[in-house]
């Protein structure tokens, strides 16, 4: 259903685009009681105002949870004020991590901003509410050592098209620091030759088009996959990384982020690697390996397409070994 125009009626239900399609969601009772204009504005917030599918679904979960909370307490939209929002945020902090609480507050605040602009409510009750303090200097993404990443790539049986594809997908993530969403979004034309080198064109968050040279290993793995898939006749605007049929034949369907996550989990288990290994692991692994070999934060930031070097630093685990060596100096 991707790309369809969705109409809404009756103020009772709408379709919200999800990460990989549309999801039918009921209008919360708190919104539905305000009439059709409020219901339409509520759905517009998700469909017209938020372009990133991951953000859309995360914000939808947060907003629906809050609306259910308000409905349980029989709070109409016009009675919601900063005190009620603060109470709700305090309750969230009892069982949620600060980043999750801050995301929930951001979703509520953005929704009410949209309702204010649409003249559904006169003011934003979440505008003055502060979220919990949260300072992060080191990310929690699980990271593999360079030797473990090499072990994973070498453990894949490349005698089949499945193995060749999986190795190419993992190599693209680890050697370009790309998010899995950008990798699965690649079309045939996004792996292209520029002079003597092959390049990767990645469509990252916020609509950013980001081009990076293909590492020679990534280039070799992608070439092997495309050759085995007999891709010479693939149209440019068709998926680069495709699903495999039950007959073990390449299809025309694009791999999804869920497909890749399942594949990564399976490959990591087969290679004897931690079960915490996930798609984002390869972004952190690539950045750490790059910095360990003399790369700079500034260049890592450019390759990863981060807005700030502070974000890139969250993926840098080069200090882990240094800290361990230093702590062992405590000879007691």
């Amino acid at each position: 259903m991707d790309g369809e125009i969705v109409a809404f009626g009756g103020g009772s239900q709408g379709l919200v685009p999800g990460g990989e399609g549309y999801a039918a969601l009921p209008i919360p009772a708190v919104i539905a009681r305000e009439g059709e204009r409020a219901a339409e504005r509520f759905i517009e917030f998700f469909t017209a105002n938020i372009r990133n599918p991951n953000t859309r679904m995360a914000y939808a979960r947060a907003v629906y949870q809050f609306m259910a909370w308000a409905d349980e307490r029989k709070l109409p939209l016009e009675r919601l004020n900063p005190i009620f929002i603060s109470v709700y945020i305090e309750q969230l902090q009892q069982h949620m991590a600060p980043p999750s609480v801050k995301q929930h507050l951001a979703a509520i605040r953005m929704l009410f901003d949209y309702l204010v602009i649409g003249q559904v409510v006169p003011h934003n009750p979440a505008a003055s509410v502060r979220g919990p303090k949260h300072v992060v200097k080191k990310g929690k993404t699980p990271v593999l050592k360079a030797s473990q990443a090499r072990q994973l790539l070498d453990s894949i049986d490349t005698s089949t098209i499945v193995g060749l594809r999986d190795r190419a997908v993992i190599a693209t993530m680890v050697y370009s620091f790309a998010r899995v969403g950008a990798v699965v979004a690649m079309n045939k034309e996004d792996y292209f030759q520029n002079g003597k080198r092959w390049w990767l064109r990645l469509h990252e968050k916020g609509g950013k088009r980001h081009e990076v040279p293909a590492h020679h290993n990534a280039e070799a793995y992608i070439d092997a996959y495309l050759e085995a898939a007999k891709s010479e006749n693939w149209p440019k605007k068709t998926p680069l990384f495709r699903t495999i049929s039950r007959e073990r034949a390449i299809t025309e369907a694009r791999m999804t982020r869920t497909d890749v996550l399942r594949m990564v989990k399976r490959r990591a288990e087969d290679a004897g690697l931690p079960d915490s290994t996930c798609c984002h692991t390869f972004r952190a692994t690539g950045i750490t390996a790059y910095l360990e070999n003399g790369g700079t934060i500034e260049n890592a930031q450019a390759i990863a397409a981060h807005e700030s070097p502070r974000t890139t630093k969250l993926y840098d685990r080069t200090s882990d070994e240094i800290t361990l060596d230093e702590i062992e100096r405590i000879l007691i």
Side-chain angles (χ1 to χ4, degrees), residues 83-224:
I83 296 175
F84 288 122
I85 306 295
S86 297
V87 169
Y88 178 69
I89 294 302
E90 287 289 337
Q91 291 183 7
L92 288 185
Q93 291 184 80
Q94 295 175 15
H95 62 274
M96 278 188 180
S100 297
V101 177
K102 289 171 74 70
Q103 184 184 65
H104 276 242
L105 179 57
I108 296 167
R109 186 179 289 140
M110 281 186 62
L111 171 65
F112 275 102
D113 274 343
Y114 203 74
L115 295 178
V116 169
I117 294 172
Q119 300 182 343
V120 174
V121 293
H123 64 277
N124 185 343
S128 60
V129 179
R130 296 183 62 181
K133 289 186 177 180
H134 181 62
V135 179
V136 178
K137 294 185 177 180
K138 178 179 175 181
K140 294 183 178 181
T141 303
V143 178
L144 298 177
K145 295 181 179 179
S147 59
Q148 291 176 308
R150 184 72 262 163
Q151 175 186 337
L152 175 60
L153 290 168
D154 290 343
S155 71
I156 298 174
D157 177 9
T158 54
S159 64
T160 67
I161 184 64
V162 179
L164 289 169
R165 181 205 62 182
D166 292 355
R167 185 179 65 172
V169 169
I170 292 173
T172 301
M173 289 191 289
V174 76
Y175 287 117
S176 70
F177 312 164
R179 297 178 179 87
V180 62
V183 172
V184 297
M186 291 178 69
N187 289 331
K188 177 78 180 311
E189 64 181 352
D190 294 324
Y191 176 59
F192 62 97
Q193 192 167 13
N194 185 2
K196 295 183 178 180
R197 293 300 302 268
W198 285 80
W199 286 63
L200 304 170
R201 182 183 297 114
L202 304 165
H203 301 270
E204 291 283 4
K205 291 170 64 175
K208 292 183 294 186
R209 194 179 76 167
H210 178 54
E211 296 181 354
V212 293
H215 187 281
H216 70 275
N217 283 341
E219 180 181 329
Y221 297 159
I222 295 173
D223 286 346

Side-chain angles (χ1 to χ4, degrees), residues 230-242:
K230 298 180 173 56
S231 67
E232 59 271 9
N233 295 322
W234 288 2
K236 290 183 177 181
K237 296 189 179 298
T238 55
L240 176 62
F241 296 116
R242 304 178 175 207

Side-chain angles (χ1 to χ4, degrees), residues 4-8 13-18 21-25 27 39-53 55-57 59-60 64 111 114:
E4 290 186 9
I5 297 176
V6 182
F8 306 94
Q13 182 169 305
L15 295 180
V16 176
Y22 284 96
L25 297 175
I27 303 300
E40 289 182 353
R41 191 70 180 172
F42 178 84
I43 294 298
E44 285 175 10
F45 170 70
F46 295 105
T47 56
N49 188 55
I50 303 177
R51 293 267 54 86
N52 184 280
T55 303
R56 181 185 295 128
M57 293 311 295
Y59 277 27
Y64 272 84
L111 171 65
Y114 203 74

